[in-house]
Amino acid sequence: MKLNTTATSFFLFSLFITMPSHALDYDPDIGEEINEVCAGCHGEYGQGGKEGEYPRLAGMPAEFIAQQLVLFRNRKRPNMPMLQYIDERQMPDEDIHNVSLFIASIKLNTRLPPVDETAADFDAYARLLESKKLMQIPRAPGDIPKGKKMYKKECASCHGKDGYGLHKKAVPLLAGQYTSYLWNQVTKLRNRVRIHDIEEPDEELLDDFTDAELTDIFAWLSTADD
Ligand code: HEC
Ligand code: HEC
């Protein structure tokens, strides 16, 4: 697991002045316990649900998860369904830290490795558990080569060359995310309900892209986890 708790704390501290500046310890057991609350909507493995009404969280940079939880808690990003879980009392900084690192560490496979089901050591239960952690985004319509080129030029510097997000800068993964969720967030970003780039809060960078261009980008992203 690649983590940089010092950077996390510093980033959150510098943005919201609510996080302590010292690095918090990580307790995976507490993280797992808190995730049981999240699982009701985001799934046991953070795989999301309801075709993207609940986003995938597994494998997101921990810094991004923590930052969004602070935004929800401070009512800076509206999220009615989550409000009751996220007030100061129920979600102190330590809990945010633990649950974010725990969810970030969950790895979802995109396919099951081949096995011989007739072999003597075949473990059907282990196989079933593995199959529950599968997530494969269905191919979205659009021009994939064009989308790939545009993604690499316009989005990769922040969202990572393969679309899996960036740590430290708290940038979410886009590859492996439900396409419908991405479109919902485009609307929220364009309407300034969310701030895309904290360094340029007044300039929404998706305003520079047409829906057709974003369709191509999302088409490529939907194949990035193939
Ligand atoms: C009652 C349902 C519900 C529960 C429980 C819930 N969430 Fe959410 N969560 C949502 C919804 C709905 C969204 C998407 C909001 C939107 O469309 O902007 C969301 C969005 C998020 C996001 C933003 C993801 C992104 O890519 O933008 C994070 C991070 C998150 N939730 C973390 C958590 C964590 C951690 C927990 C447990 C402590 C949790 N949620 C519990 C419903 C829930
Ligand atoms: C300057 C860095 C930067 C660039 C360039 C950038 N993004 Fe982002 N993007 C971010 C950050 C940071 C966030 C998280 C914002 C927040 O804190 O809510 C984000 C969030 C998003 C989200 C919401 C995803 C989620 O899970 O919440 C979408 C969709 C998105 N970006 C699409 C794009 C696309 C498409 C491009 C290229 C055309 C792009 N972004 C270019 C930094 C960037």
Side-chain angles (χ1 to χ4, degrees):
M1 201 167 22
K2 282 197 221 98
L3 296 172
N4 189 331
T5 45
T6 313
T8 312
S9 301
F10 175 71
F11 184 68
L12 292 167
F13 180 73
S14 59
L15 256 186
F16 305 107
I17 329 207
T18 58
M19 293 292 275
S21 56
H22 63 268
L24 297 161
D25 290 332
Y26 171 45
D27 186 329
D29 293 334
I30 295 178
E32 185 169 14
E33 202 176 297
I34 301 168
N35 185 49
E36 285 170 20
V37 175
C38 322
C41 293
H42 292 283
E44 187 182 350
Y45 304 111
Q47 72 274 34
K50 282 208 175 163
E51 304 194 343
E53 185 179 327
Y54 305 124
R56 172 223 183 115
L57 302 176
M60 276 284 188
E63 293 85 345
F64 172 75
I65 300 172
Q67 189 204 50
Q68 296 305 304
L69 292 175
V70 173
L71 289 172
F72 296 145
R73 198 175 67 183
N74 294 354
R75 315 284 199 271
K76 292 274 188 329
R77 174 177 169 189
N79 188 335
M80 282 300 283
M82 276 181 64
L83 260 193
Q84 59 175 308
Y85 302 100
I86 197 83
D87 61 47
E88 291 283 351
R89 191 174 50 81
Q90 294 192 67
M91 200 51 82
D93 294 342
E94 295 77 21
D95 285 0
I96 288 186
H97 181 72
N98 283 317
V99 75
S100 300
L101 288 173
F102 177 75
I103 294 173
S105 74
I106 302 175
K107 194 178 172 310
L108 299 179
N109 290 322
T110 51
R111 64 177 70 85
L112 279 176
V115 288
D116 177 3
E117 296 194 4
T118 60
D121 63 350
F122 175 67
D123 183 342
Y125 183 64
R127 188 75 173 164
L128 178 72
L129 287 185
E130 242 182 288
S131 71
K132 284 187 166 178
K133 289 176 103 171
L134 276 189
M135 186 171 175
Q136 172 74 135
I137 296 301
R139 191 158 293 201
D143 185 327
I144 293 168
K146 242 170 104 180
K148 178 177 181 179
K149 212 169 142 201
M150 207 172 331
Y151 175 87
K152 300 273 177 190
K153 185 160 170 268
E154 308 284 356
C155 322
S157 62
C158 290
H159 287 280
K161 78 174 169 34
D162 300 317
Y164 282 97
L166 269 198
H167 299 258
K168 295 184 193 170
K169 279 178 82 183
V171 191
L173 59 75
L174 302 178
Q177 186 58 277
Y178 296 92
T179 307
S180 59
Y181 185 74
L182 296 176
W183 277 115
N184 279 340
Q185 300 312 308
V186 168
T187 308
K188 290 180 189 194
L189 292 163
R190 281 178 173 161
N191 291 336
R192 312 300 197 263
V193 173
R194 289 184 64 186
I195 305 298
H196 201 152
D197 182 358
I198 202 78
E199 280 160 34
E200 304 273 354
D202 299 324
E203 306 220 350
E204 174 44 52
L205 47 91
L206 297 184
D207 286 350
D208 298 337
F209 295 87
T210 63
D211 281 3
E213 288 171 326
L214 291 178
T215 297
D216 293 343
I217 291 176
F218 292 163
W220 176 70
L221 284 166
S222 75
T223 66
D225 68 345
D226 286 353

